[in-house]
Structure formats: C-alpha cells, structure tokens
Amino acid sequence: MVTVPEREARAGAPRIPLLVAAGGLLVLVAALGISVGAKSIPLADVWGYVFSPDGSDDASIVHDQRMPRTILGIAVGAALGAAGALMQGLTRNPLADPGLLGVNAGAATAIVIALVALGTTEPAAQVWFAFLGAAAASMLVYGIGAARGRSASPVRLAIAGMAVTFALLAVVAAITITHPRVFDQYRFWQVGSLAGRGTSVIEQLGPFIVAGLVLALLIARPLNALALGDDVGRGIGASVGRTRLLGAVSVTLLCGAATAAAGPIGFVGLTVPHVARSLVGPDQRWVLPVSMLFAAILLVGADVLGRVATPTGELEVGIVTAIVGAPVFIAIVRRRRVAQL
Amino acid sequence: MSSSTTETATLLSAAVGGRRSLRLGTATVLVQPRGVLIGVALGLIGVVVLVLSVATGTISYTPGEVIEAILGGGEDSTQLVVQETRLPRALTALLAGGALGASGAILQSVARNPLASPDIVGFTQGAGAAAVLQIVVLGGGPTATAIAALIGGFGTAAAVYLLAHRRGSGVAGYRLLLVGIGAAAAMAAVTSYLLTRADVRDAQQAFVWLTGSLHDRTWADVRIVALALLVLLPLALVRDRGLRILEMGDDAAQALGVSVQRSRAVLLLVAVALAGAATASAGPVLFVGLAAPQIARRLARSGGPSVALATLTGAVLMALSDLIGQRAFGDTPLPVGVVTGVLGGAYLIWLLTFERRARH
C-alpha cells in the first residue's frame, strides 16, 4: 500500500471536478480545432458535420482534414503528457523529458538516414523509420542503463540517455551539415507540426499510442512506490526492475509514436507533468490522467492558435506550444509551490 | 567562508577517506591521489593533442619545427601557418573545452542534477536564438554573431534568475530549474522558427554555429577564453568545497554554515560566464559541458564533483575532437561539435557500461 503521496496531495485542487473540467475544455478545444482554419466553419455546425455529414464541401473538409488533424493532436498530446510524467517518475528527475531515453534523437537519426540513403520523403514511410529509430535508441539506452546485470538506476538511465541522445544528434548534425538537401527537409521535420498528416498516420500509430497509454495507467501504482526510492519501494512490495522496464516500454511506445507522427515536441512532455503535479500532488494515478488531458488541450489549442496567428500560412504547433506555453508555465511555477518529485 | 565551515568540510572529507587535505593560506584544497594521477595524465594528453594539432594538416611539420615556430624561429611560412592559423585554433579548442567542462561541473553540483548544463538557466538556448537571429536576419560577421550570442545568453540567464527569485524565499534551486526549462523551451522554439523561415544557406550556416565550430579562430578568441579562465576558474576552485556541501542539499548546507543563496548566486554567475566565454569563441559546442564532469567523476572514481578534473577533461575532449574532425574526414572537415557529441557520447557509454559499480 502506498499512502505517503496521498497525504501530501490533499492540499491540492479537488481532483474529480478538475478532471471533469479538463475533459470539458478538451471537447471545446477539439470543436475549435474542427471549426477554425482557412475555411472557417461555424462552431454551431461542427456537431452536425461530425456526426451526420451531408456530403457538402464543408462536411468533407471536416472529415478529411480537420477531424484527423484534431484527433492526431489529442493522441499526440496525451501521449507526450503521459510519457513526460512517466519519464520524470522513472528517473525521479524534473529535467527529464520524454525524449530522454533517446527516443527523439533516434527518430531524427532514422529520418535523416532514410532521407540520405533512400530518399524517403513520404510521411507514411517516414513514420515507420522514425518509430523504429526511436525504439532502437531507447532499447540501447535501457541496455546501457541495465548493463552487466545492474538495475537501471534513475541516474544511470538519465546519463545513458543523455550520452546516446548527444551521440545520435551529432550523427544527425554530421549528415545534415554535409547534405544541404537533407538539411532542408530536416529543418522542417524538427520543428514539430500536425499539418498534412492525414488519417493514415492515425491508423499506423494509433494502436501504439493506445497500448502505451493503457500500460502507463497500469503501472501508476508501482511508480508511486518507486518515488520513495528503490530500497523503500522494494520494501513495500513493488517490483522495481519490472516497473522500470514496463515504464520504459510505455515511454518508447508513446513518445516514439508521437515523435513519428508530429516530430519532436519537447516542451509538452517536459512541462505539463509539473503543472499536473502542482494541482493534484505527486500521486501518479492522478498525475498521469491529468497530464494526458492537459497536454492534449495544450497541443490542440496551440495548433488552433497557430492556424490563425499569422495572416499568411500557419505557425507549426511545436513553436506555438513553447512560445505560448513557456510564459504560462513560468507564471505557474512562480505562483504555486510546485510538488517536487 | 567561515573557519568552522572549513573544519567541518575537512572533517567530512576525511571521513570519506582516501583524500588528503592541503592547506594553502586560508584555502584548503582536497587532494585525492587517484585524482592527481588522472589530472597529470589528462594534462599530458592535452599537450600531445596540442602538438599534433599544430604539426599535422595539409603541410606537416616535425615537433621540433613546431616548437621552433612557436618560439619565433624557423621559416616564415612555417611561422605563419603555426602562429596565425593552427596554434590559435588548437588553443581555443583546449581553453573553450576547459571552460565548458568547468561550467558543467559547477552547474551539475549547484543544481544537484547530472543533466544540468548552462541550459538550466536558458543560457545556451538564449545565445543560440540570438546568434541565429543575427546570422539569418542581420547577416553580420562572426564577431557580430559572438556578441549577439553573449547578449542573448546572458539576457536569458538574467531573466531566468530574476523570475525564479521570490521575496522571502529567494531563489530556490527547484524553482530555478523549472523556470529555466520554460525559458529554454521558448528560446529553442524561436531558433526553430528562424531556421524554418530563413534561406536554406543561412539556416545551414546557423546550424553549423549551433553545433559548435572552431573554423577560422584567431588570437582574439584565445584571449577571450584565456582571460575568462584566468579570472573565473580560481574563483570556482576555491569554492570547490562549498560545492561539495551544496551537493548535500540546501538544508544540510545551511546547517553546515554555507550561505546557500550567496554561494549559489556566485557559482551560477561563474559557471554562466565561463560558458559564455566558450560560446563566444566556439559556439555552444554540443555536449562538452554535460559529458566532461560525468567522465571526470568516473575516471577519478569519486562520488564528488571536481571542477579541476572536469576542466581538464573538457579541454582534452574538445581539442581531440577538433583534431579528429579536421584530419579524419579528408576533404570535408566536420565541425568540432559533431565529433564531441559522438566521441563524448561513446566514451561516456563505455564508462557507464564497464564501471565497477554504480556510483549513485
């Protein structure tokens, strides 16, 4: 039984109303995501177009473009929020972002190698390269962390992740600096965007995200035990090694799929869990779902904002999340007593 | 620092064992036999790399010719190549690497976090955003880029420090980390935006700067970093003991009589200024600041931080990386940041895999 985090959490906001409010906000933001764009569709008509399309141009815009994009935004957001919360819980490090297991760097390396060796530019094919690269990198990091029969302690995992990340990023830099055309493609991928992904990406990666989210929620309780330290955790009956391995698998599925779908969006997974903890305390059973909801709201909201922010074209979601999110995050950190990991 | 703190620290270190304390006036320097050995070895490797960097290239010289040219003798052409091209570059590499290593070691202790680097106060990203802005929008030369980087870096760091400050409680370490994360992310987004909106050639030039490059370094660069190291490194070394105590946490440090707020502020300033000097001369070279302290810790087999060893490790990592980047890839030399990432990453992975047991 883990009771320590619960006592601390009681000081925070009421949790059930918070979840309901966040859910309501997400529905509203999703409706905006379908309504707002180059061709604006009245909010009042969104419901009708979504559930009973009449074959009009507006209905096809909703079904072919806006809905897939909004659903992808929710999925990627939830995945990044959960992955960030897991990563910070697993490493007990507030600086841990979901990419710390080498996931983002692995995806970037695979994309760049696919570009230079095979000329792969189609999103549907790139997605698989990115996902495989992400999985390979995180397996490597975990392997180093747990090398020679040691348990993958948080600090070892963090340092191994950092080492692999920078080695891979250097490979990316070497290739892009010597191949201007690859660089031209890479610079747009590395921003992070939801534009033009289509339904195929959701079909390809959706199952991985769902599996990752379920796994994350299942290990929330043993994760709480790990927060007390490996020894105490083991003492109160948590299987430290298994929890950490399952957590790493979940992060890889979530962050790998999110990065493959939308490019590396670091800010969401890094900051949203801190905000969630400041509201519901350190109990992972609450931090995880709240992080998923908040991150999905942030991502879809930023995507909507990016579509209307400039008169011509749009701002990529990766840029908007950080530019809009950072001041909000800093204000929250200054105001509240943030629950430490 | 009061004398009682000194005694406590000496007692603490004596309890750890294997260390000798050396008293130099008011300062006490802790000396570990293994640490000294590693330090001397790193110093020797640094000298060898320096000589190799200067001696090899499109025209090769014997070590004798190199030393002669450095001292002002030998043929004019040799003197020109050695004095004006190769020596400033090699020295910038050593010094900037050392500055980054020291900076990383200080920050990782102050933040009590092995992932800490000048990023935690937003310095790297602020410098990067301003430098990229200069390259792709204003289009000035390398000096303008260096100045822009310093303004952006110090501006962001100052903003983070002030934003993390709260009346009553001062600057808490944890809040500083989180505010730094936010500011760094915003600056990184600005950089991404500029890279996607710029002409591809400008963007690529900016990307090379972001990776870290020692192309066309002059004596002016050497002087900047040398001056910074000369002034700042002693400050950090004297406070090495304070660092060990800060690593125990704010409360413990307070109890041991260390003024947490002041120590942290001074050390942060020293670390950021060291990183600033290195960034102005070589760009925000990937990974040296993060990897050097971790490699140094594992080489010395000590749990505690050592600014001196991290400095030497950083210097060797950077100089060796530039030597490899310049000589190993034929006609397309790679910027130093590419090699530091691969070399530092691979070496750290090797150390992690084969270290005898977990240190932490």
Side-chain angles (χ1 to χ4, degrees):
Chain A
M1 276 306 114
V2 184
T3 51
V4 177
E6 273 165 41
R7 191 193 41 195
E8 282 177 44
R10 229 169 266 155
R15 291 146 158 184
I16 303 280
L18 184 77
L19 270 187
V20 173
L25 196 57
L26 181 58
V27 172
L28 180 70
V29 173
L32 280 174
I34 292 169
S35 154
V36 173
K39 170 91 177 67
S40 150
I41 291 162
L43 254 186
D45 299 345
V46 166
W47 185 272
Y49 283 134
V50 169
F51 292 102
S52 44
D54 55 6
S56 65
D57 285 352
D58 280 2
S60 69
I61 288 178
V62 165
H63 274 264
D64 298 342
Q65 292 171 23
R66 304 263 171 88
M67 269 172 62
R69 184 169 177 163
T70 305
I71 292 169
L72 187 67
I74 294 173
V76 167
L80 289 173
L86 276 181
M87 205 62 229
Q88 289 170 9
L90 284 174
T91 58
R92 296 200 293 266
N93 193 321
L95 294 182
D97 67 272
L100 185 63
L101 277 179
V103 174
N104 291 348
T109 311
I111 292 250
V112 166
I113 289 175
L115 277 170
V116 75
L118 309 165
T120 313
T121 52
E122 273 165 58
Q126 269 188 337
V127 157
W128 289 124
F129 278 107
F131 193 61
L132 286 177
S138 78
M139 272 192 275
L140 180 63
V141 169
Y142 199 86
I144 296 164
R148 307 210 300 173
R150 272 181 299 244
S151 81
S153 79
V155 175
R156 286 180 58 84
L157 264 189
I159 297 173
M162 180 177 92
V164 169
T165 296
F166 277 94
L168 289 174
L169 285 182
V171 172
V172 170
I175 295 174
T176 51
I177 284 168
T178 47
H179 297 77
R181 216 172 310 146
V182 173
F183 174 76
D184 201 19
Q185 303 258 350
Y186 174 72
R187 64 177 173 151
F188 291 104
W189 180 81
Q190 56 91 30
V191 177
S193 169
L194 292 171
R197 296 313 202 253
T199 26
S200 65
V201 171
I202 301 176
E203 284 159 12
Q204 282 173 296
L205 296 173
F208 296 107
I209 292 183
V210 171
L213 290 176
V214 171
L215 189 56
L217 291 171
L218 285 177
I219 59 167
R221 184 183 273 272
L223 259 188
N224 279 340
L226 286 203
L228 305 171
D230 288 5
D231 296 338
V232 178
R234 209 170 277 125
I236 57 178
S239 169
V240 173
R242 197 184 58 186
T243 307
R244 214 168 263 146
L245 181 62
L246 290 177
V249 170
S250 174
V251 167
T252 305
L253 289 173
L254 291 169
C255 185
T259 306
I265 304 176
F267 179 79
V268 177
L270 185 55
T271 54
V272 166
H274 289 295
V275 176
R277 265 193 299 275
S278 84
L279 289 171
V280 297
D283 186 347
Q284 294 283 358
R285 287 171 299 174
W286 288 93
V287 171
L288 278 165
V290 170
S291 295
M292 290 176 196
L293 280 173
F294 281 13
I297 294 168
L298 173 62
L299 208 68
V300 177
D303 189 38
V304 172
L305 214 58
R307 277 182 244 165
V308 294
T310 52
T312 53
E314 34 179 88
L315 271 181
E316 288 85 353
V317 69
I319 291 169
V320 184
T321 45
I323 298 281
V324 177
V328 176
F329 178 66
I330 291 174
I332 291 172
V333 171
R334 275 172 58 76
R335 280 265 172 92
R336 299 189 66 92
R337 201 190 128 67
V338 179
Q340 297 204 1
L341 279 162
Chain B
M1 209 168 290
S2 68
S3 66
S4 69
T5 321
T6 315
E7 280 163 25
T8 320
T10 318
L11 277 174
L12 278 169
S13 61
V16 177
R19 292 191 184 129
R20 310 269 180 282
S21 66
L22 190 70
R23 228 169 231 288
L24 302 167
T26 54
T28 312
V29 182
L30 302 175
V31 182
Q32 297 166 272
R34 188 183 162 87
V36 172
L37 213 65
I38 298 283
V40 171
L42 284 170
L44 286 176
I45 297 172
V47 172
V48 171
V49 171
L50 180 69
V51 171
L52 275 177
S53 303
V54 177
T56 61
T58 21
I59 317 165
S60 297
Y61 305 112
T62 62
E65 282 175 312
V66 170
I67 292 165
E68 206 182 350
I70 291 175
L71 296 175
E75 285 177 45
D76 285 356
S77 65
T78 313
Q79 249 196 45
L80 191 73
V81 172
V82 168
Q83 291 251 12
E84 296 307 314
T85 315
R86 292 189 189 165
L87 194 57
R89 178 170 185 149
L91 282 176
T92 309
L94 275 174
L95 296 172
L100 288 170
S103 167
I106 297 169
L107 285 166
Q108 292 185 1
S109 299
V110 170
R112 293 199 292 143
N113 196 316
L115 299 183
S117 66
D119 294 17
I120 61 161
V121 283
F123 181 87
T124 317
Q125 285 78 1
V132 172
L133 183 76
Q134 197 290 126
I135 292 170
V136 305
V137 179
L138 305 177
T143 315
T145 306
I147 293 171
L150 286 181
I151 295 173
F154 282 113
T156 312
V160 166
Y161 194 80
L162 291 176
L163 283 169
H165 193 278
R166 223 163 49 163
R167 226 173 303 145
S169 57
V171 177
Y174 204 80
R175 200 180 318 127
L176 187 71
L177 281 190
L178 295 186
V179 173
I181 287 175
M187 287 297 156
V190 171
T191 306
S192 284
Y193 175 77
L194 290 169
L195 283 181
T196 51
R197 296 315 192 265
D199 172 72
V200 68
R201 263 165 306 174
D202 286 347
Q204 200 165 22
Q205 195 197 334
F207 191 65
V208 170
W209 187 88
L210 286 172
T211 310
S213 165
L214 290 164
H215 190 60
D216 277 346
R217 293 302 95 180
T218 63
W219 283 103
D221 299 292
V222 178
R223 274 193 287 272
I224 294 174
V225 208
L227 190 68
L229 275 174
L230 219 59
V231 175
L232 299 167
L233 202 57
L235 269 177
L237 290 177
V238 166
R239 286 180 181 269
D240 204 23
R241 186 181 54 238
L243 269 185
R244 285 170 201 278
I245 298 175
L246 272 181
E247 274 216 338
M248 298 173 183
D250 286 9
D251 297 340
Q254 201 99 54
L256 288 170
V258 173
S259 160
V260 174
Q261 288 294 327
R262 209 186 52 200
S263 290
R264 180 154 49 218
V266 171
L267 286 165
L268 269 179
L269 190 66
V270 167
V272 172
L274 280 169
T279 307
S281 61
V285 187
L286 281 180
F287 201 46
V288 176
L290 279 167
Q294 294 300 327
I295 292 174
R297 256 175 209 230
R298 284 171 172 74
L299 284 176
R301 303 223 179 108
S302 81
S306 167
V307 174
L309 276 186
T311 309
L312 289 170
T313 309
V316 168
L317 175 59
M318 183 100 149
L320 187 61
S321 295
D322 195 42
L323 182 65
I324 295 172
Q326 277 194 92
R327 307 278 186 263
F329 300 94
D331 294 338
T332 49
L334 286 173
V336 63
V338 170
V339 190
T340 53
V342 174
L343 195 66
Y347 190 52
L348 189 51
I349 289 168
W350 190 78
L351 283 176
L352 272 174
T353 313
F354 295 107
E355 73 183 331
R356 278 202 213 140
R357 57 193 162 85
R359 296 285 131 201
H360 297 276

